[in-house]
Every structure is written in C-alpha cells, then in structure tokens.
Amino acid sequence: MIDKVAWIYLKDGRVLGTRSAGKDTYYLPGGKREPGESDVETLVREIREELSVEIDAASAEHLGTFEAQAHGHTSGVTVRMTCYTASFDGEPVASAEIEELAWLTTADADRISPVDRIIFAHLRDAGVLS
C-alpha cells in the first residue's frame, strides 16, 4: 500500500493537476508522508515543495480517502489517497519535480491515474467538477 496525501484545489469546475518531469500522466498535487508526519503536515510540506504556495493548515478539510491500483506499479500494489481542501497563500507554480500544471475535468480521465479517476468521479457526483 502506497499512502499519499493530496490537495484538491477546485476553480471554475476544474481541479488543479500536476505532471512530473518525464511523465505523461497527471496527478493531484501532494505526496507521501515523512516519518511521524500527520496528514496536514504532509499536505503543507508537499504543496510548498511542488507548487511554492503555503497551505493554511487550520483551513484543511478532509474531502475523502480513496484507493485504487497504483499507476505504474505491478498488479496488486494499491495507493490510498487521503484528500484535503485548504486555503492557501501565493500563486501555484510548477516547482521541484513538477514540470507542468493543468486545470483538469472529468473529460481528462485518460490523462490521470486510476485513483484520480475515482476522485474525479466523486467530485463530479458532488457537483463541483465538470
């Protein structure tokens, strides 16, 4: 099981996605915990590293936890994505290993990971994602 935390940043019916250098798949911004980190501590650190913005930890709200086959891994390796919304300071820009940002909708299902497809469907069903 790969355990990750992701930030859901919605705007105008789209969600912010990231693509790492050398990859062709988009992922929700976030990443794996460092030893001893809480979900919110992971969220703050990963988003600062990937997007150069400061998440307001006090505003973080759990949106859901989703599991699926881990993209690019052998069959049976799953990823658990714990998703949060949160306000922030700054303007997201591609940093660290992130090469590109994109505003995505459910029409981008072929460009995202399996767990992100589940999350996108959840956001669509909630009426917040086109």
Side-chain angles (χ1 to χ4, degrees):
M1 171 74 65
I2 300 168
D3 187 25
K4 297 178 89 175
V5 176
W7 182 40
I8 306 295
Y9 177 30
L10 292 157
K11 186 175 178 181
D12 301 325
R14 301 173 298 159
V15 66
L16 184 64
T18 58
R19 185 179 57 76
S20 295
K23 305 287 183 179
D24 61 0
T25 302
Y26 289 85
Y27 298 89
L28 293 169
K32 298 176 191 170
R33 284 178 189 77
E34 295 291 334
E37 274 185 332
S38 70
D39 284 359
V40 174
E41 289 168 337
T42 302
L43 184 72
V44 169
R45 178 184 52 76
E46 285 286 346
I47 301 309
R48 180 184 305 125
E49 290 173 3
E50 292 185 357
L51 302 176
S52 296
V53 298
E54 288 299 320
I55 292 290
D56 175 4
S59 73
E61 290 188 30
H62 182 248
L63 181 112
T65 301
F66 307 87
E67 292 184 16
Q69 168 65 40
H71 180 258
H73 291 267
T74 58
S75 181
V77 176
T78 58
V79 62
R80 175 186 300 130
M81 190 82 74
T82 305
C83 299
Y84 289 85
T85 59
S87 58
F88 64 97
D89 288 319
E91 186 63 33
V93 294
S95 300
E97 75 271 13
I98 303 303
E99 185 169 83
E100 181 183 7
L101 304 182
W103 290 101
L104 306 170
T105 69
T106 55
D108 295 297
D110 61 333
R111 300 168 62 195
I112 60 176
S113 71
V115 73
D116 287 359
R117 288 185 199 122
I118 294 168
I119 297 164
F120 277 38
H122 173 81
L123 295 170
R124 179 199 62 227
D125 292 348
V128 295
L129 184 64
S130 300

